[in-house]
């Protein structure tokens, strides 16, 4: 919060995404997203739609992503199912008479609320008691969905970007915001695929060399992504890496009738999806088949 105050105090331009809880104030706008939002041309057909609104800070861009909405729905469905299963088990214990004390039932409900907070707040718990006993005993519990559950489903895939920029459009602000994803992807690639960490070297020169090779590798990675974008292929490095991982370079070990051990280094035949990437990059597999006699049995 202090850093955000400093940015505003010094009149720096910024683009930030609002907290999830702040998205609900634009429920009416998001409910009409199919009619009033503009589709973003992102080159990947991710089906992102935006709507720009003027505000005191500058511009608020309401965003809706269909893939994100699908993911949110799946996550929330799993949470709801886990919660209702746990609640059903608790209610079964009550109906069997294994749990009757009102205080103990409330304690168990509190545990469910702590374990499944986002799902629990979407329901109202209705208690049933046997008033003929003293103290009264709990006989059953029932869940009733709140109206806010429908509102929550409306907000699946929705988020709000706030920016001081007023001279550019909503889609342009969205594109600027997505550059943060590219920066995060850079660090993720460096830390995972390119092995910038862990560093096992102790000497300064070796550590610098290790970091240099990792950064140099990232430049190669970026060059590959850029070359593909020039021909209309906007796949990320992680997708490219996963696709090409099935094109293998293997060593076959054989023996002959003279007990000699032969090593044959060969490449597998590239599949159509491999060739598509190679053709876009202008790469041809020129690695020859290599044969060596390495010893005898």
């Amino acid at each position: 919060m202090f850093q955000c105050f400093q940015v505003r105090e010094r009149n720096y331009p910024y683009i930030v995404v609002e907290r999830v809880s702040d998205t609900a104030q634009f429920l009416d706008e998001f409910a009409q997203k199919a009619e009033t939002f503009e589709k973003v041309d992102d080159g990947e057909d991710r089906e992102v739609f935006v709507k720009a609104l003027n505000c005191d800070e500058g511009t608020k861009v309401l965003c809706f992503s269909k893939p994100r909405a699908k993911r949110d729905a799946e996550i929330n469905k799993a949470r709801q199912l886990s919660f209702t299963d746990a609640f059903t088990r608790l209610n079964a214990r009550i109906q069997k008479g294994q749990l009757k004390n009102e205080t103990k039932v409330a304690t168990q409900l509190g545990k469910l609320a702590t374990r499944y907070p986002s799902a629990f707040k979407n329901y109202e718990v209705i208690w049933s008691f046997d008033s003929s006993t003293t103290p009264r005993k709990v006989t059953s519990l029932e869940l009733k969905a709140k109206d806010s559950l429908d509102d929550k489903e409306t907000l699946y895939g929705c988020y709000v970007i706030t920016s001081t920029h007023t001279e550019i459009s909503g889609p342009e602000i969205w594109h600027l915001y997505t550059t943060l994803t590219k920066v995060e992807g850079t660090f993720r690639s460096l830390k995972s695929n390119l092995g910038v960490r862990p560093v096992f070297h102790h000497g300064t020169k070796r550590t610098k060399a290790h970091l240099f090779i990792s950064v140099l590798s990232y430049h190669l990675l970026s060059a590959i992504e850029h070359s593909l974008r020039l021909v209309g292929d906007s796949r990320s490095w992680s997708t490219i890496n996963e696709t090409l991982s099935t094109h293998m370079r293997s060593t076959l070990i054989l023996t002959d009738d003279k007990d000699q051990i032969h090593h044959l280094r060969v490449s597998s035949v590239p599949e159509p999806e491999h060739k598509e990437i190679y053709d876009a990059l202008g790469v041809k597999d020129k690695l020859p088949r290599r044969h060596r006699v390495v010893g005898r049995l």
Side-chain angles (χ1 to χ4, degrees), residues 88-100 128 138-142:
T88 300
R89 291 194 297 270
L90 173 61
N91 197 30
R93 291 175 59 197
I94 295 172
Q95 292 177 341
K96 290 178 181 178
Q98 298 173 351
L99 189 62
K100 303 177 182 179
S128 296
V138 183
T139 56
S140 68
L141 299 175
E142 182 183 349

Side-chain angles (χ1 to χ4, degrees), residues 75-87:
I75 292 173
N76 281 281
K77 182 180 178 181
R79 289 174 178 170
Q80 299 283 348
L81 184 60
S82 297
F83 166 67
T84 53
D85 285 347
F87 181 87

Side-chain angles (χ1 to χ4, degrees), residues 21-275:
S21 57
D22 295 333
T23 307
Q25 64 181 301
F26 300 101
L27 179 63
D28 293 339
E29 285 81 0
F30 281 121
Q32 301 175 22
K33 53 184 175 284
E35 296 83 19
T36 61
F37 279 43
E38 173 187 1
K39 186 175 182 180
V40 175
D41 181 12
D42 63 348
E44 297 185 27
D45 196 24
R46 286 183 287 192
E47 294 189 285
V48 177
F49 302 82
V50 300
K51 179 181 181 180
L53 301 176
N54 295 327
C55 66
D56 294 338
E57 298 174 61
T59 306
K60 287 189 181 291
V61 182
L62 312 186
C63 307
F64 169 68
S65 166
K66 283 190 176 181
R68 183 168 176 168
K70 181 180 179 181
R71 184 177 70 249
D72 289 349
E74 291 173 350
I75 292 173
N76 281 281
K77 182 180 178 181
R79 289 174 178 170
Q80 299 283 348
L81 184 60
S82 297
F83 166 67
T84 53
D85 285 347
F87 181 87
T88 300
R89 291 194 297 270
L90 173 61
N91 197 30
R93 291 175 59 197
I94 295 172
Q95 292 177 341
K96 290 178 181 178
Q98 298 173 351
L99 189 62
K100 303 177 182 179
N101 185 276
E102 186 175 350
T103 302
K104 292 183 178 179
V105 172
T107 300
Q108 294 301 315
L109 276 177
K111 291 181 178 179
L112 289 183
T114 302
R115 187 174 181 182
Y116 308 101
S118 60
F120 187 86
K121 65 183 180 182
N122 294 322
Y123 295 94
E124 178 186 352
V125 180
I126 300 174
W127 297 60
S128 296
F129 297 95
D130 182 0
S131 301
S132 63
T133 60
T134 304
R136 63 180 184 175
K137 296 180 180 179
V138 183
T139 56
S140 68
L141 299 175
E142 182 183 349
L143 285 179
K144 181 180 179 181
K146 296 180 180 178
D147 294 337
S148 59
L149 184 57
D150 294 332
D151 296 342
K152 187 173 183 179
E153 292 177 355
T154 301
L155 295 175
Y156 286 166
C158 299
Y159 56 100
V160 180
I161 299 172
T162 300
S163 173
T164 53
H165 293 285
T166 57
E167 75 285 359
I168 56 179
S169 65
E172 289 174 315
I173 291 175
W174 181 87
H175 278 292
L176 282 175
Y177 172 71
T178 58
T179 58
L180 175 61
T181 305
K182 295 179 181 178
V183 173
E184 292 173 342
T186 298
F187 284 106
R188 186 162 50 248
S189 296
L190 284 170
K191 294 174 182 177
S192 56
N193 306 90
L194 304 181
V196 74
R197 69 175 191 182
V199 178
F200 296 106
H201 306 293
H202 298 286
T204 303
K205 290 184 177 180
R206 291 190 176 188
T207 301
K208 286 183 177 180
H210 174 88
L211 297 176
F212 174 78
I213 291 173
S214 295
V215 173
L216 183 63
S217 300
Y218 180 73
H219 281 286
L220 178 60
L221 179 157
S222 297
I224 291 173
E225 289 184 334
H226 178 69
S227 297
L228 289 176
R229 281 196 296 270
L230 292 177
V231 294
D233 190 333
S234 56
R235 279 179 284 192
S236 64
W237 167 252
S238 58
T239 304
I240 298 168
N241 189 36
E242 182 180 357
T243 302
L244 294 180
S245 63
T246 53
H247 188 201
M248 308 297 291
R249 180 80 169 162
S250 306
T251 301
L252 304 179
I253 303 176
L254 308 169
T255 57
D256 59 17
D257 54 358
K258 298 180 181 179
D259 292 335
Q260 294 184 115
I261 302 174
H262 300 259
H263 280 192
L264 291 178
R265 189 71 171 161
V266 296
S267 298
S268 61
V269 177
E271 299 173 3
E273 56 183 3
H274 303 151
K275 290 182 177 179

